[in-house]
Amino acid sequence: DIQMTQSPSSLSAFVGDRVTITCRASQSISSYLNWYQQKPGKAPKLLIYAASSLQSGVPSRFSGSGSGTDFTLTISSLQPEDSATYYCQQSYSTPLTFGPGTKVDIK
Amino acid sequence: QVQLQESGPGLVKPSETLSLTCTVSGGSISNSFWSWIRQPPGKGLEWIGYIYHSGSTNYSPSLESRVTISVDTSKNQFSLKLSSVTAADTAVYYCARRTTVNRFYYYMDVWGKGTTVTVSS
């Protein structure tokens, strides 16, 4: 199985800050990396697919980059509604695996 | 717009079989892959498996011995059965559509709201 790790596990930032979350795969997964946002009591929502493609309807302040084993999700200007937990997920091979999540809070 | 809705018992006894159904509305179940994912309380997401509309399946090895996912195209539904459950199977269970782009990249873009299943006597 491909193991996914994320850092940090949590962060707190001000509205307007630039926020970066890192995801690392235990082996190369090319660009087969997706990012999801999950708010409490809600289902995950797809933000980014194929490492850097923005899902339709997702605000452009969200962006993704990386390939191989190291990936980043960036929120260019944090908004109050971005308070959530963010998960990366690899689709390079089954079993599909998710990172442990990064909780983002607003200061 | 495709919507998914999970249904099934919220309480299952240990050693019994958990059974859930996902109803697809606003679109056809054909020509897509359909997934089950779960999330234990306060924990992260775990992929259980997926099924193609033709019936071909792919399961997580950690659950494969206990999992069956099936599809009923006439009802636009797919289902999950998990046998011999224990308290460790207590979780929110989500169904989701798996979409493929450019032949190789795929992701889960439509999710149900999730249903909580508790395993307890």
Side-chain angles (χ1 to χ4, degrees):
Chain A
D1 299 6
I2 298 174
Q3 307 302 317
M4 308 299 293
T5 58
Q6 289 182 232
S7 61
S9 57
S10 65
L11 66 89
S12 186
F14 291 101
V15 171
D17 280 354
R18 182 181 184 89
V19 168
T20 298
I21 298 169
T22 297
C23 174
R24 177 165 290 174
S26 60
Q27 66 181 75
S28 177
I29 57 171
S30 184
S31 298
Y32 294 91
L33 191 284
N34 306 317
W35 288 97
Y36 299 87
Q37 175 195 65
Q38 187 180 34
K39 297 182 178 181
K42 301 294 187 181
K45 173 187 173 183
L46 177 69
L47 298 177
I48 302 284
Y49 64 91
S52 61
S53 295
L54 190 68
Q55 171 68 349
S56 176
V58 174
S60 58
R61 63 180 179 274
F62 291 93
S63 64
S65 64
S67 65
T69 60
D70 295 321
F71 302 85
T72 59
L73 173 70
T74 300
I75 308 173
S76 61
S77 178
L78 190 66
Q79 299 301 303
E81 60 267 31
D82 300 336
S83 178
T85 300
Y86 294 84
Y87 294 94
C88 60
Q89 175 247 319
Q90 63 82 19
S91 61
Y92 180 82
S93 65
T94 56
L96 306 183
T97 47
F98 292 85
T102 295
K103 186 175 181 182
V104 175
D105 289 326
I106 309 297
K107 281 185 182 177
Chain B
Q1 182 164 343
V2 174
Q3 293 184 307
L4 307 181
Q5 178 66 59
E6 305 90 348
S7 59
L11 180 64
V12 182
K13 290 182 167 54
S15 80
E16 295 190 343
T17 296
L18 177 160
S19 296
L20 297 174
T21 296
C22 183
T23 300
V24 179
S25 59
S28 174
I29 202 167
S30 298
N31 299 318
S32 286
F33 285 85
W34 304 93
S35 298
W36 287 99
I37 303 99
R38 70 180 183 178
Q39 185 171 37
K43 296 190 177 180
L45 299 162
E46 179 183 20
W47 175 74
I48 298 171
Y50 59 65
I51 188 166
Y52 192 49
H53 71 95
S54 62
S56 63
T57 55
N58 190 317
Y59 300 141
S60 172
S62 66
L63 297 169
E64 187 166 18
S65 64
R66 299 193 291 131
V67 169
T68 301
I69 299 176
S70 59
V71 64
D72 187 337
T73 54
S74 67
K75 295 182 179 179
N76 238 29
Q77 295 176 334
F78 63 104
S79 298
L80 169 70
K81 291 189 185 299
L82 182 65
S83 64
S84 305
V85 297
T86 69
D89 296 309
T90 293
V92 176
Y93 285 76
Y94 295 101
C95 57
R97 182 179 73 178
R98 195 199 94 167
T99 291
T100 303
V101 293
N102 299 333
R103 291 183 62 198
F104 300 112
Y105 295 100
Y106 61 88
Y107 47 81
M108 288 166 284
D109 62 338
V110 180
W111 293 65
K113 293 182 177 180
T115 188
T116 299
V117 179
T118 301
V119 179
S120 175
S121 56

